[in-house]
């Protein structure tokens, strides 16, 4: 049986905590470890921050839709913005020596580090959907 929850948040960084609370509840309900909870917390923070900042460009007329699905052996979290989309291969590698001291650019790296699978898709609305999967 799949347990599913969906929330829509305004494009403000202050709403990130609401997404993290829901993600933590879904992960706890699924029986994930404290170590997994930490990684989910970090990945959701990064994904929602990117949706607000880079996707929706802080435009409060746009929302971030977050869908959480507890499946048989995994938690799937989908974060969708209403922006114009982006090209993943255009994002600089944060581990490259030229980028080590830059203040931004580590979100994608962190999401990939903490989750079992991270996939980006173009939304039908034109924005971006990031799918974060953590296996039990």
């Amino acid at each position: 049986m799949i347990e599913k929850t969906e929330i829509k948040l305004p494009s403000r960084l202050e709403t990130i905590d609401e997404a993290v609370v829901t993600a933590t509840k879904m992960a706890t309900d699924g029986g994930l470890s404290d170590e997994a909870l930490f990684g989910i917390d970090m990945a959701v923070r990064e994904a929602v921050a990117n949706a607000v900042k880079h996707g929706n460009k802080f435009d409060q007329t746009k929302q971030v839709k977050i869908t959480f699905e507890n499946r048989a052996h995994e938690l799937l979290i989908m974060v969708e913005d209403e922006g114009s989309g982006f090209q993943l291969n255009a994002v600089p590698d944060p581990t490259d020596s030229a980028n080590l001291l830059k203040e931004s650019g580590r979100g994608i790296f962190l999401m990939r580090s903490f989750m079992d699978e991270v996939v980006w898709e173009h939304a039908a609305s034109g924005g971006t959907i990031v799918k974060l999967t953590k296996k039990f």
Side-chain angles (χ1 to χ4, degrees), residues 27-97:
T28 301
D29 290 351
L32 285 161
S33 69
D34 287 343
E35 181 180 335
L37 291 174
F38 174 80
I40 291 166
D41 179 303
M42 292 298 295
V44 168
R45 285 182 189 283
E46 291 295 337
V48 175
N50 284 349
V52 169
K53 183 177 180 182
H54 302 294
N56 291 346
K57 300 190 183 332
F58 297 105
D59 181 346
Q60 292 191 35
T61 65
K62 296 180 179 180
Q63 293 185 318
V64 177
K65 180 173 88 172
I66 309 161
T67 306
F68 306 87
E69 292 182 8
N70 256 342
R71 298 176 172 192
H73 298 287
E74 67 185 17
L75 173 62
L76 172 64
I77 302 166
M78 294 175 281
V79 179
E80 180 177 349
D81 65 56
E82 296 178 345
S84 58
F86 82 109
Q87 296 298 321
L88 182 61
N89 58 0
V91 178
D93 178 359
T95 63
D96 184 289
S97 61

Side-chain angles (χ1 to χ4, degrees), residues 103-120:
E103 291 182 21
S104 64
R106 291 174 183 77
I108 292 170
F109 175 79
L110 289 171
M111 286 184 267
R112 286 179 167 158
S113 296
F114 289 120
M115 302 303 284
D116 293 310
E117 184 177 16
V118 183
V119 176
W120 285 265

